[in-house]
Amino acid sequence: LIVERRLPKGDALVMAEIAGLQGAKMASMLMPLCHPLPLELAQVFCAAVPERQAIRVWCECASEARTGVEMEALAGVNAALLTLYDLSKPVEPALRIEGIRLLF
């Protein structure tokens, strides 16, 4: 239903991407002592993995600041995944979020 965009609450993939952008931009508000950064780039992608009955989510962030943007990327991914979970739980309550990691 996610891939077909037929969930009762609407298009979960689009909403997850928007939530992921918000999560990346608000990372400093979510985690104590996380620096607020001006992001030059924040992109969230959701892709179906049919053979695993899964949705893969990744977030790319970039900034010209003198620090990394890994917390922003991880916050973006988690916000997107939580949104997918929230919108999908009425039709499939046995969902899992797993394998969250920093790629580079």
Side-chain angles (χ1 to χ4, degrees), residues 15-63:
M15 287 189 266
E17 289 174 358
I18 293 169
L21 292 173
Q22 280 185 296
K25 290 181 176 192
M26 299 182 77
S28 67
M29 297 177 78
L30 298 170
M31 292 163 277
L33 306 179
C34 183
H35 299 289
L37 296 178
L39 293 178
E40 307 301 322
L41 171 75
Q43 293 179 303
V44 179
F45 304 93
C46 299
V49 184
E51 63 275 10
R52 294 187 62 211
Q53 293 186 347
I55 304 294
R56 180 167 289 137
V57 177
W58 68 99
C59 178
E60 297 177 2
C61 292
S63 178

Side-chain angles (χ1 to χ4, degrees), residues 3 5 7 11 16 19 23-25 28-29 35 38 46 59 83-84 86-88 90 93 101:
V3 174
R5 302 175 190 266
L7 286 172
D11 189 337
K25 290 181 176 192
S28 67
M29 297 177 78
H35 299 289
C46 299
C59 178
T83 299
L84 285 172
D86 183 47
L87 297 175
S88 302
R101 65 188 184 280

